[in-house]
Structure formats: C-alpha cells, structure tokens
Amino acid sequence: MGRITFENKVLNDWVAEMAAMCRPDDIELIDGSQEQKKTLESKSAAMGEIIPLNPKELPGCFLHRTNPNDVARTEHLTFICTRKQHDAGPINNWMPPQQAYDKARAIFTGAMSGRTMYVIPFSMGPVGSPFSKVGVELTDSIYVVLNMMIMTRVGLPVLNFLGKNNEFTKCLHSKADLNIERRLILHFPEDNTIWSVGSGYGGNVLLGKKCLSLRIASHMAAREGWLAEHMLIMGVERPNGQIQYIAAAFPSACGKTNLAMLVPPEGLKRKGYRVWTVGDDIAWMRVDTDGSLWAVNPETGFFGVAPGTNSKTNPNMVETIKRNTIFTNVLLKPDGTVWWEGADGEIPESGIDWQGRPWKRGAQDADGRPVLGAHPNSRFTTPVAQCPSATFRLEHHHGVPISAVVFGGRRQHLAPLVYETFNWRHGVFSGATMGSERTAAQYGKQGEVRRDPMAMLPFCGYNMGHYFRHWLNMGKKMSKAPRIFHVNWFRTGADGKFLWPGYRENLRVLEWILDRCNGTVGCQKTPIGYLPRTKDIDMTKLNLAEGAIKKLLAVNRKDWLEELKGIKEFFKTFGDDLPEELWQEYYALHKRLTGGRAGTGK
Ligand code: OXD
Ligand code: MN
C-alpha cells in the first residue's frame, strides 16, 4: 500500500489508522489541480463509473448511474451518535458511539481492498474565512472526489491553511459493496467525525454537504453561537444598486433552487430588479459587530434535482448545467446528451434509462405505468460560479447581510401566500411549526402534515428542543435582527388548482417582504401576523383569476385552531426541552384567534 505523510500529526495518524482498517491498495492526496481532475475523470470513465457526454453539446460533462437501491438519502440509516441519547433528541435516530463505531468498523474492514483511498482536504466556506470549517474526506469513490471538487473548495490551499491545526472534521466514506443491509450514515458530533458506508448517493456520501454543513455544523453552531441552516441565500438588487439579501428555508423539493436564481417576471421588468444567487441549500450565519446577521453559502456547487428543470421553471439553471456538470441517474440520449421528465424540448424517442436499460418514449411497465427515463430524484452537480446570476460575493470572507429570513411549507389550505411575524420570537414559532402536506408522490396519508421545523427535520444534529432554544438566544444577540416571514406558494382553490403561479412570479412576494424591511409598504394586522392588503402586492401583468388574491391572503380562524391541535401534539414530543417561550407563543396565537379566550392548556 502506498503511503503519504502529512505534516499535521493528527491528520497523519488518522489517515494511517483508517487505511489500516479499510486496506486500500493505494492512497492518493487530492491536490485540487486541473491535471489531477482530468486524470481521475479518465480513470473513472475507463472503469465505467462515469460516462463522458457529447463534448460539443455538453463539454466537461459526465453521466453516472447509482445502484438502483441507492438513489436518495436513507434517513432510517442515518444516526446521530452522541454519548447521551437525550443530546440527539426525540427526532433523530440515535446509536451509542461505541456501538456505532463497532458496527461500521465491521463493514469498513477491508472494504477498500483493490481500490485507491483518496484523501480530500476541503473547506466549507472560503478558505480562511472566520465562517469556514475544514474537513478531510477519505473515500474510495472517484465519483465522490469529482463531486466534492464541484461542491467544495478542495486541495492544497486547504491543507496549507489547516497546517498543524487539529480542528477538522474527519470524514470517512466507502462504497463497500453498496448493500443497503450494510449501509450506515453515522455522525459523531462529539468527535467531529462522520462515517458513511455502503452508499454512493450524493446526500449520503458528499460528506461536506448535509453531514458536515448541517448535522455536524448545527451542533458546532449551537456551541459556538452561530446558525447552520437548510436555507437558500439570494440577493435582490434594485436599479439604484442597493442589494438586500434573503435567507429562506423550505423542506426538500419545495423549490429552493428555483427561487434562489429566479429571473424577474415580465410584469416587474420595468422596475429593473436583478437577482443574485448566493446559495440554494445551506446558509451559515453569524452576528457581526454591526448587530446584524451575515451569511455565507459554505458550498461552491449546486446538487440539484433534474426532473422539472427547464427554461420556464429555471432558465438560469438550464444555462449553468451546459458544461462541467455531473449528471446522476438521468436518461442518456443516443446523441450523448441527457434528458429527464420535464426537460426542455421534445420527449426523446429512445435512450438508455437511469438504470442502464434501453428505453422508448411512452414505455409502460407490466401494470401500465409509465417507465421513467430519469429517476425522480436524479441530479446534476454543477458549479455555482457558472450560474448567470451567481453572486460576486461567493468568495467574500464576510458573506452577505441578511435583511429577511423566510420560512415556507406546502399547505393547500391553511397558510396564506405570505405573512410577516410580529417579532423574532414569533418568527421562531412560525419556523418551529413549519409543515408540509404529503403529496401523492410521498409515502404516508395524503394531506397529512409532516412537521419540518426550519426544514431541518432530517438535518438537525442535536436535540431539536435545544435547537429552538438556540434560535431564541440568537435573536437576543442581534440589535438589527432580520425580520421573519412565512410564505406558501402552494395554496389551492376549490378546483384543487394552485392559486398562485409561483416560480419567477414569487419575486412579487419578495418585493413586499423587502419593502416591509425598509418600512415602505403597508400591511394588515391579523391574528397570525402582518399580511399584505391586496393592493400591497404588485400585480402588474399577472392576470390572476377573479378573487384569487383575496383567497391567497385569507386567514381562516377555524383552520388555524385546528392547526394548533397538531402543533400542540408536535410540541409535546419535546417534553421539557421545548422552550417555554414557544408555548407562550402557542397560547398567544390561540388567544388572538379566539378573540381573547385563554389557551387550551398543555
Ligand atoms: C437536498 C435535500 O438534496 O434537501 O438538498 O434533500
Ligand atoms: Mn436540501
């Protein structure tokens, strides 16, 4: 086995120890150079792990197919391994650290034999920024290396910055035999360590993303006094050059990526807005000396869902993924380009589907259901810097100042298009009680609300009751805290159709949000918060159906009282860990809804 020596003793000893366990044939350091990237691409292509795509149409692009049993994050195999179960809280899967290490060690032992172990030093956030954190991922997958090169800053600059410092997240990954029975995604926040084995799917194996930047980082953030959140960050620039930034949390698959890079709608063109994309998935936020909240996107790439991406839903992304992009589990067309359900243009006549099987337009399975060309969770990995709306502040060590925090869910009836919360504490309540109704595409009872506080349900690396407490404390640290809003693009009318067109038209709602932050637009006070009056949202050239805006802004007290019952049950799961302030918000909302009658008691 080849050896490399690192000046950093802790890194050196750890790499040696992991190599002794995993027994790779070779060890290679990822230096971040273009030459090494090219060599790895050729090696991976020769192994059949990635397929080079049409170099004229899609230069620098590749296709990868994962094992059909390995196409999404496996939440039931994802564990937070704290010494005390209480520290992981009632929502996370928990395993005692020793048991977790032992279980995984049995799978990791010898798992890399016949393979090379790649050592990837990476920085989440600009190298050397006070926001940033260093990690080192060891992996036996070139696909992982190539993705990490897009999603994070990798190589010698990171290693040099780390120097002799012992503070880095130790990330170990092996595909092993890709057996779901032998798959574990383990987080050890007390050891600053992640072990992931038996998977090759991005969310489980690009360890800088969900594992480090959310689960481990949320734990660090609570200790160190900052926020690691599942949020997009975008800037809205006015013609006078003023840019205001928004951080927004929506559950997975609710359109964060599309919103983060929207193109202003026709109807608002005359206003000359311009959108700057900072990030589409993760925000790390700190209070600065000016008393406001500043944010960085720790990533350098997008790992976006392909199906439904087209020039109408997301023209900037269509442009971004034309080069240097890795596509995973999409359809391969005969001309060496790719396609997915909901892509631009004609449905291809034939191709190779995401499982590598010949595919024909209109193909059906034995039960008459359409055979999909691309997996519904097929993805592209692509550099932020290629996005036409990419911020010029991506490498800025200070990030961007946040004017508004926006929470959102997918609710057919309950939540209005937008409301502003009364204050930080009420805003935390609105984030903590966020939820989405299951659609037909999800497992479980349709219409049932899945609570997903701050969209962090699968990503909070510690006790969520303590997480709420941390959010409340953060509000006290800021003299200029962002205002907190709640949006819902998914309200439907009696015919079951969406009342709001969404996508680029959402800028109209963001405009009201930012005008509220600037104190330049009015509102109406309702029991749930401040809502726009119908005249407060610019409807130029929107042509909504008659009465739709009224319906979008309606607050139905009966529905909200019903909602409170669900919130109460949810809050109870946290027992004494739920901050009393959130119960107070619960009672206050009840009182406002009933016109002054007392709450219903815990
Ligand atoms: C993601 C997710 O992949 O939230 O970003 O699932
Ligand atoms: Mn996400």
Side-chain angles (χ1 to χ4, degrees):
M1 176 174 67
R3 274 230 54 165
I4 16 176
T5 329
F6 297 94
E7 258 183 62
N8 183 315
K9 182 161 171 3
V10 172
L11 174 61
N12 201 54
D13 291 353
W14 172 66
V15 173
E17 190 190 336
M18 296 303 103
M21 173 171 70
C22 299
R23 298 182 207 142
D25 286 7
D26 241 318
I27 304 180
E28 183 175 336
L29 172 68
I30 298 303
D31 61 18
S33 68
Q34 282 307 305
E35 300 75 59
Q36 188 184 36
K37 180 166 173 270
K38 288 269 168 282
T39 309
L40 287 173
E41 284 169 354
S42 307
K43 192 168 162 190
S44 180
M47 285 161 55
E49 185 188 41
I50 58 173
I51 300 169
L53 294 171
N54 184 323
K56 247 175 119 184
E57 301 289 330
L58 293 169
C61 294
F62 297 90
L63 167 67
H64 170 77
R65 299 190 189 106
T66 63
N67 191 317
N69 79 17
D70 191 23
V71 291
R73 286 184 287 103
T74 34
E75 288 177 19
H76 67 294
L77 302 174
T78 301
F79 292 84
I80 302 296
C81 310
T82 44
R83 278 189 289 278
K84 292 194 208 130
Q85 181 166 11
H86 184 77
D87 292 337
I91 304 285
N92 283 311
N93 299 318
W94 173 80
M95 217 191 281
Q98 207 48 55
Q99 185 188 332
Y101 281 128
D102 289 348
K103 259 186 126 160
R105 192 173 291 116
I107 311 171
F108 273 117
T109 299
M112 293 189 188
S113 88
R115 301 178 185 160
T116 299
M117 172 195 267
Y118 298 95
V119 180
I120 319 171
F122 65 95
S123 175
M124 300 314 297
V127 180
S129 150
F131 280 83
S132 302
K133 298 284 177 195
V134 170
V136 179
E137 177 160 353
L138 310 179
T139 180
D140 55 3
S141 158
I142 303 180
Y143 169 75
V144 167
V145 175
L146 296 174
N147 274 271
M148 285 292 283
M149 283 180 152
I150 297 174
M151 296 303 295
T152 72
R153 294 133 175 115
V154 303
L156 294 182
V158 182
L159 201 59
N160 292 338
F161 172 73
L162 182 66
K164 299 215 166 106
N165 192 331
N166 298 337
E167 261 185 58
F168 63 94
T169 307
K170 300 184 183 79
C171 307
L172 176 66
H173 165 251
S174 171
K175 298 181 279 189
D177 55 3
L178 295 175
N179 182 344
I180 192 158
E181 304 296 329
R182 288 153 49 79
R183 181 175 304 159
L184 287 169
I185 322 296
L186 306 172
H187 304 74
F188 305 90
E190 290 149 353
D191 301 343
N192 200 3
T193 293
I194 303 161
W195 279 18
S196 162
V197 69
S199 173
Y201 170 75
N204 293 333
V205 302
L206 308 180
L207 299 184
K209 195 173 177 65
K210 303 298 188 182
C211 300
L212 193 163
S213 290
L214 291 176
R215 297 195 192 97
I216 294 287
S218 61
H219 192 275
M220 288 177 175
R223 278 198 323 259
E224 298 170 5
W226 50 284
L227 289 166
E229 297 300 323
H230 189 200
M231 289 180 173
L232 68 88
I233 310 168
M234 66 191 288
V236 179
E237 180 177 335
R238 293 174 194 262
N240 68 4
Q242 183 204 13
I243 309 179
Q244 284 177 288
Y245 293 89
I246 293 172
F250 306 112
S252 306
C254 278
K256 286 210 312 290
T257 305
N258 295 341
L259 186 67
M261 56 193 73
L262 68 74
V263 171
E266 282 304 316
L268 294 193
K269 274 264 155 75
R270 72 190 193 290
K271 290 189 167 168
Y273 284 119
R274 177 169 184 172
V275 165
W276 294 101
T277 308
V278 183
D280 77 329
D281 199 38
I282 296 170
W284 283 1
M285 303 190 283
R286 288 179 182 264
V287 181
D288 210 330
T289 44
D290 65 349
S292 48
L293 193 62
W294 288 69
V296 297
N297 167 18
E299 303 187 287
T300 49
F302 305 121
F303 181 63
V305 176
T309 304
N310 60 49
S311 315
K312 183 172 166 276
T313 58
N314 196 337
N316 277 327
M317 189 59 95
V318 168
E319 201 49 43
T320 308
I321 58 181
K322 284 186 174 160
R323 53 195 199 281
N324 308 322
T325 297
I326 301 172
F327 296 91
T328 301
N329 292 340
V330 298
L331 180 103
L332 177 63
K333 291 186 2 188
D335 66 354
T337 63
V338 290
W339 182 85
W340 46 82
E341 281 67 23
D344 282 329
E346 298 249 308
I347 302 175
E349 262 174 44
S350 65
I352 309 286
D353 77 3
W354 67 274
Q355 298 192 58
R357 305 170 307 189
W359 178 92
K360 283 215 164 350
R361 177 162 63 201
Q364 294 186 342
D365 66 13
D367 301 320
R369 283 183 304 240
V371 176
L372 297 177
H375 187 274
N377 192 35
S378 55
R379 299 271 176 157
F380 42 71
T381 318
T382 194
V384 173
Q386 284 181 194
C387 182
S389 60
T391 175
F392 50 89
R393 291 177 77 111
L394 195 66
E395 291 303 322
H396 202 292
H397 281 210
H398 238 64
V400 297
I402 300 297
S403 299
V405 164
V406 179
F407 294 121
R410 181 185 279 270
R411 303 300 299 258
Q412 274 184 55
H413 304 298
L414 182 79
L417 180 62
V418 58
Y419 64 91
E420 178 186 345
T421 59
F422 294 121
N423 50 46
W424 183 266
R425 198 175 90 164
H426 179 222
V428 174
F429 174 83
S430 80
T433 56
M434 241 168 84
S436 274
E437 283 142 13
R438 288 179 213 273
T439 62
Q442 285 162 315
Y443 183 76
K445 213 169 114 204
Q446 224 177 306
E448 203 174 65
V449 179
R450 186 200 199 219
R451 299 268 159 218
D452 189 354
M454 283 84 171
M456 284 288 277
L457 191 77
F459 306 121
C460 182
Y462 63 108
N463 188 318
M464 205 159 233
H466 302 165
Y467 169 75
F468 296 148
R469 159 67 51 218
H470 179 49
W471 260 89
L472 292 167
N473 288 343
M474 285 296 292
K476 295 186 192 129
K477 293 202 329 189
M478 288 179 276
S479 55
K480 283 187 258 158
R483 294 198 194 192
I484 302 181
F485 297 79
H486 187 281
V487 299
N488 175 27
W489 317 131
F490 302 98
R491 212 173 212 190
T492 52
D495 57 2
K497 294 208 177 109
F498 291 124
L499 288 164
W500 182 250
Y503 299 111
R504 51 166 65 188
E505 307 298 344
N506 292 337
L507 185 61
R508 298 170 192 270
V509 175
L510 301 186
E511 181 183 44
W512 181 77
I513 286 175
L514 291 175
D515 285 346
R516 286 295 300 160
C517 296
N518 296 331
T520 55
V521 72
C523 68
Q524 51 175 324
K525 191 169 180 190
T526 78
I528 65 161
Y530 299 116
L531 262 74
R533 297 160 297 184
T534 48
K535 65 172 185 189
D536 292 326
I537 299 211
D538 188 337
M539 306 290 267
T540 312
K541 293 198 193 160
L542 190 58
N543 304 325
L544 278 196
E546 181 76 19
I549 191 69
K550 265 216 160 80
K551 287 185 195 144
L552 280 161
L553 297 176
V555 177
N556 182 327
R557 287 172 193 252
K558 232 176 85 219
D559 289 354
W560 278 94
L561 283 168
E562 203 49 41
E563 172 77 356
L564 277 179
K565 291 185 192 159
I567 291 176
K568 183 160 144 188
E569 284 315 302
F570 183 62
F571 274 4
K572 279 192 193 162
T573 55
F574 300 100
D576 290 343
D577 291 317
L578 192 92
E580 191 54 34
E581 291 92 321
L582 294 186
W583 278 120
Q584 286 166 14
E585 285 298 329
Y586 168 92
Y587 290 126
L589 176 55
H590 190 280
K591 201 164 164 189
R592 291 193 300 269
L593 288 165
T594 51
R597 268 185 287 131
T600 50
K602 286 187 213 173

